[in-house]
Amino acid sequence: MIALPTGWASISLSELVLLKTGPFGSTLHQSDYVQGGIPLVNPMHIAAGRIVASAKSCVSLDTAERLSDFRFRLRDIVLGRRGEMGRCAVVSAREVGWLCGTGSLIVRPNHSAIDADFLQRFIASDAVVQYLLSASVGSTMANLNQEHLLGLSVNLPPVAEQTRIVEKLEELFSDLDAGVAELKAAQKKLAQYRQSLRKAAVEGALTAEWRTRNTPLDTGAQLLERILTERRARWEAKQTLKFKEQGKPPPKDWQKKYPEPGSLNDKPRATLPAGWTWASVDQLSPDDLTNGRSVPSAESGAKVLRLTAVRNGRIDLSASKHGAWTEEEAKPFAVFEGDLLIVRGNGSLPLVGRAALVPKVQEQVAYPDTLIRLRVVESVVRPAWLGLMWDSKTTRTHLERRARTSAGIYKISQPDIVSVAIPVPPLEEQDEILEAFATSGQSVVEVELMIGIGLKQSTAQRQNILRAAFAGQLVPQDPKDEPASVLLARIRAGRPARAMPRISRAAAQ
């Protein structure tokens, strides 16, 4: 057991605070909500140790007065009890009287032995967050176990040292925050540069000079005609094989049943460079789009990708699991290099419909029902070209306008995808643009990686500072400070003994 620093005392959080949860959801009615009234604070309104008000999450003054037991007092700590553990903030004079939301919890220091700012930083530290997560409940969202929180052991410094620790943390974190702000500003500029580079690629500006010196073998329109011919030929071959397997002669005029791909409507579109043409995804894809298959996890069985395999425009083939099916059953859903896998649903609108190309595949792995597979004929449209276009403003606008939401999840379907408009340059120009984009983009990737490392180091440094603070290593101990044990003894002697503070509203709420 590690010895406590001089003057410190170990104490259960239950002796230092009173907990009060927000009101039951049934306590609030639609008529109680108003625009710009008394803010209602839920976990989403707590960020970076501060409370961020939202005009869309407010109740009337009459409602707030009716629920006065749940209004904040000065120096209360508001703690999110659902979702991300450790999301908390100290209530300032500005927020006094605001209302604790259903998903939040008031942690109220009940005597002078604990400083609210010190306690807030302690609860937000990585060690405490992991402690809270270890006893959280909920399959889709972590829910705080309040009895577990009250049982938290706090290494308590003298009050004067708590103040010095908070002041030192403010000083160090101020420098860290400034550095993080610069890194994020650079990150934003890189994203803007990448988007402008993509825009130049989509509009043909990236290869404007190249076109003056080169004459492609086929225009985009001729490529489209070739792929439409290829598309029909594949359908007829598939139908012929189907008739043969059934042992039936093809019916009369069966070719007339060919499902023509959906073409683009007459809606005005951006003017393309000479030799380019617009085409729908349906026209460019000779094979029907297919959703993956949902399979339960298993100890062994054919591998299937997880949804997390699609990240930052890349496919991580190692992000897979074993499914309860055979290799033969999984074969129709196996991915190949150049397949575009599209995310069907996400809780964030900017992420739904995002996609990435499958890299070189070393072993069979299938894709799940959360993804849609799109294939093109590489001799007409490069898969990488389609991947580049997929993150363009035109494609994103198309998908986000058509996404539907249910239970907080945005979803797209196959019709939303096949109707996407894609600019098709000559094949040689596609290759030229992809090479130019890759060359320019490589330097961006390298800088992005450096920024990402810097941000991770900042996060690690913040936790190192917090660990030092709560181990008594951040500021020196002062022998003149009244020991925490002496103050606690005096406080306990001055009030009648009582049981653990009662939790207002049941912890199971």
Side-chain angles (χ1 to χ4, degrees):
M1 182 176 179
I2 300 175
L4 289 174
T6 303
W8 288 41
S10 182
I11 184 172
S12 170
L13 186 65
S14 63
E15 288 196 67
L16 298 173
V17 302
L18 172 70
L19 302 187
K20 183 182 287 292
T21 65
F24 285 111
S26 58
T27 308
L28 291 168
H29 308 286
Q30 192 61 40
S31 58
D32 292 325
Y33 292 90
V34 297
Q35 187 79 9
I38 305 298
L40 186 69
V41 180
N42 275 307
M44 68 185 72
H45 305 124
I46 306 169
R50 292 177 175 80
I51 301 173
V52 183
S54 170
K56 297 180 179 179
S57 181
C58 295
V59 297
S60 66
L61 179 59
D62 288 344
T63 300
E65 290 178 346
R66 171 168 60 85
L67 301 173
S68 59
D69 283 349
F70 307 104
R71 300 183 76 175
F72 296 144
R73 299 178 189 175
L74 185 65
R75 313 305 290 164
D76 277 349
I77 297 170
V78 56
L79 171 65
R81 63 189 189 91
R82 292 177 184 167
E84 184 181 338
M85 295 288 105
R87 189 185 286 248
C88 59
V90 177
V91 173
S92 67
R94 179 182 75 110
E95 293 116 17
V96 170
W98 290 9
L99 201 63
C100 182
T102 305
S104 298
L105 173 73
I106 295 173
V107 180
R108 180 167 292 159
N110 60 6
H111 55 64
S112 59
I114 185 74
D115 178 84
D117 289 308
F118 177 85
L119 182 58
Q120 184 270 330
R121 285 159 179 77
F122 179 69
I123 293 174
S125 66
D126 190 57
V128 174
V129 168
Q130 293 305 315
Y131 168 84
L132 297 178
L133 279 173
S134 68
S136 63
V137 295
S139 56
T140 58
M141 180 182 294
N143 285 274
L144 181 72
N145 182 317
Q146 295 180 34
E147 293 290 353
H148 194 62
L149 174 64
L150 284 173
L152 179 64
S153 178
V154 181
N155 290 336
L156 192 68
V159 174
E161 188 174 343
Q162 291 179 42
T163 301
R164 293 197 301 274
I165 289 173
V166 169
E167 290 174 349
K168 188 63 176 178
L169 287 174
E170 287 291 336
E171 175 191 336
L172 296 175
F173 286 171
S174 177
D175 293 339
L176 265 180
D177 290 342
V180 168
E182 289 181 5
L183 287 172
K184 289 187 174 180
Q187 203 173 43
K188 184 176 180 181
K189 287 181 180 179
L190 279 175
Q192 291 170 343
Y193 172 72
R194 184 189 288 274
Q195 194 58 36
S196 66
L197 191 64
R198 191 183 305 277
K199 184 174 184 291
V202 172
E203 295 176 353
L206 211 57
T207 45
E209 185 181 344
W210 180 89
R211 283 194 299 277
T212 65
R213 296 181 281 102
N214 293 272
T215 303
L217 294 175
D218 294 305
T219 66
Q222 289 170 325
L223 290 176
L224 178 59
E225 188 61 34
R226 278 171 50 192
I227 203 169
L228 292 177
T229 301
E230 172 75 13
R231 193 181 191 280
R232 184 178 187 106
R234 288 195 182 196
W235 177 84
E236 290 183 355
K238 193 179 294 184
Q239 292 299 111
T240 300
L241 179 61
K242 183 179 177 181
F243 295 139
K244 184 177 180 180
E245 289 175 344
Q246 293 174 344
K248 298 179 181 178
K252 184 180 179 181
D253 296 331
W254 64 272
Q255 294 96 333
K256 293 182 179 180
K257 294 183 179 181
Y258 170 65
E260 292 287 349
S263 59
L264 299 175
N265 54 34
D266 296 329
K267 178 182 176 182
R269 301 184 187 281
T271 302
L272 296 174
W276 291 37
T277 191
W278 286 103
S280 70
V281 165
D282 201 17
Q283 291 173 318
L284 297 176
S285 177
D287 298 311
D288 292 336
L289 272 69
T290 51
N291 294 356
R293 178 173 157 183
S294 175
V295 289
S297 299
E299 292 295 325
S300 61
K303 287 187 176 180
V304 59
L305 294 173
R306 301 178 187 273
L307 178 58
T308 53
V310 183
R311 183 173 296 178
N312 298 325
R314 296 177 176 83
I315 298 290
D316 180 5
L317 294 177
S318 66
S320 61
K321 65 176 184 178
H322 290 286
W325 57 349
T326 65
E327 294 286 335
E328 192 62 29
E329 290 172 323
K331 193 172 182 179
F333 303 95
V335 299
F336 293 91
E337 183 178 1
D339 286 352
L340 190 74
L341 298 183
I342 305 167
V343 176
R344 291 178 58 198
N346 197 283
S348 172
L349 182 60
L351 295 180
V352 68
R354 291 288 180 182
L357 289 170
V358 174
K360 189 173 182 179
V361 181
Q362 301 293 341
E363 62 174 337
Q364 178 177 300
V365 60
Y367 66 104
D369 65 326
T370 52
L371 300 174
I372 297 174
R373 181 179 63 195
L374 171 59
R375 288 173 172 167
V376 293
V377 176
E378 190 170 347
S379 62
V380 178
V381 178
R382 302 299 192 215
W385 174 258
L386 188 63
L388 180 62
M389 295 301 100
W390 209 258
D391 279 334
S392 69
K393 185 177 179 181
T394 301
T395 301
R396 288 307 309 163
T397 299
H398 175 95
L399 294 175
E400 290 180 15
R401 283 178 177 172
R402 287 161 178 77
R404 291 160 296 283
T405 179
S406 175
I409 301 296
Y410 292 95
K411 295 181 179 180
I412 58 167
S413 60
Q414 292 185 19
D416 302 322
I417 294 172
V418 295
S419 56
V420 169
I422 299 292
V424 182
L427 202 58
E428 299 93 329
E429 192 166 357
Q430 290 180 40
D431 292 335
E432 184 69 20
I433 292 174
L434 290 170
E435 183 178 347
F437 189 85
T439 301
S440 301
Q442 183 57 38
S443 59
V444 174
V445 170
E446 290 172 358
V447 176
E448 283 178 335
L449 287 173
M450 292 172 60
I451 291 175
I453 291 171
L455 290 172
K456 287 182 179 179
Q457 289 175 339
S458 297
T459 300
Q461 182 64 12
R462 187 181 297 271
Q463 291 304 323
N464 289 336
I465 291 171
L466 287 172
R467 276 192 290 271
F470 303 124
Q473 300 168 354
L474 192 64
V475 298
Q477 281 75 51
D478 187 339
K480 297 178 182 178
D481 291 341
E482 179 181 49
S485 58
V486 174
L487 175 58
L488 288 170
R490 190 169 66 251
I491 290 172
R492 289 164 178 160
R495 67 181 185 191
R498 63 186 180 93
M500 178 183 292
R502 179 177 62 83
I503 301 173
S504 299
R505 299 286 186 193
Q509 177 188 333

